[in-house]
Amino acid sequence: MEPIQLEKVQERLDLEELNELVTGSVREGFRHLTRLVEDYHAGSNRFDQTGEALFLCRVEDKIVGICGLNRDPYYGEGVGRVRRLYVHRAYRRHGIGHTLTKEVLNEAAKHYNRLVLWTDNPAAAAFYVLLGFTEKTGGKFMTHFLDLNTFKSMQ
């Protein structure tokens, strides 16, 4: 596989570039990238507030992965939320999801004390646990969390 290129969206995201990624996610039964595109287009979530970021992973100029960071709307100040992680099926098991998530962790550590997420996908849940997240059962707005003060001390 060609080397991966990681980039933080600085200006406006070209939604047309995401078409193949969104189509692949829909084929797999996921709707979170469709929501990302809808929210971005509507302006309700562009990952552009203080403490927010959106990262893309490219292979040969093709977007093969995406992951975002938002301020968490449920748990108050000091909490960020991992959003919309997806890696194209053909590019999984090459460290792309890990690379994207680590970049989100590094960005989150600058702004937050805790990072949360919600997933109903067992494979994703296991992936986050491998990255150091703790599973939170019975949570309405989160299934996993990570204390970023611990993460900062490991860097």
Side-chain angles (χ1 to χ4, degrees):
M1 187 173 85
E2 294 292 318
I4 62 172
Q5 300 143 2
L6 187 67
E7 71 182 71
K8 182 178 179 182
V9 175
Q10 299 291 341
E11 299 294 320
R12 198 158 164 85
L13 176 63
D14 182 353
L15 296 176
E16 293 290 317
E17 276 194 290
L18 290 180
N19 283 342
E20 187 176 340
L21 205 62
V22 172
T23 300
S25 73
V26 169
R27 268 193 228 118
E28 289 188 79
F30 301 121
R31 59 188 189 280
H32 62 294
L33 289 193
T34 302
R35 276 197 242 136
L36 181 148
V37 169
E38 290 169 355
D39 291 348
Y40 199 93
H41 182 69
S44 59
N45 186 6
R46 292 202 172 140
F47 300 89
D48 60 355
Q49 301 300 307
T50 301
E52 297 186 342
L54 184 64
F55 296 95
L56 306 174
C57 189
R58 295 179 188 268
V59 173
E60 297 180 354
D61 292 327
K62 174 181 165 181
I63 298 174
V64 298
I66 192 165
C67 190
L69 170 66
N70 285 130
R71 288 184 285 168
D72 184 79
Y74 307 109
Y75 295 105
E77 290 297 313
V79 182
R81 180 170 288 269
V82 178
R83 302 295 304 266
R84 314 296 188 221
L85 173 63
Y86 181 78
V87 175
H88 188 288
R89 180 178 217 118
Y91 293 89
R92 293 182 190 151
R93 304 269 181 221
H94 294 284
I96 292 170
H98 185 265
T99 299
L100 284 164
T101 307
K102 285 292 187 182
E103 200 63 26
V104 165
L105 290 174
N106 287 328
E107 186 69 25
K110 298 174 191 174
H111 305 279
Y112 305 109
N113 297 316
R114 177 173 270 203
L115 197 54
V116 299
L117 62 94
W118 188 91
T119 184
D120 60 358
N121 180 317
F127 169 77
Y128 288 117
V129 168
L130 284 174
L131 288 176
F133 282 80
T134 300
E135 195 165 3
K136 167 88 169 121
T137 56
K140 184 174 181 180
F141 301 113
M142 90 166 99
T143 57
H144 295 77
F145 68 91
L146 178 68
D147 178 1
L148 289 169
N149 293 319
T150 302
F151 174 75
K152 291 174 198 173
S153 69
M154 294 186 317
Q155 290 184 318

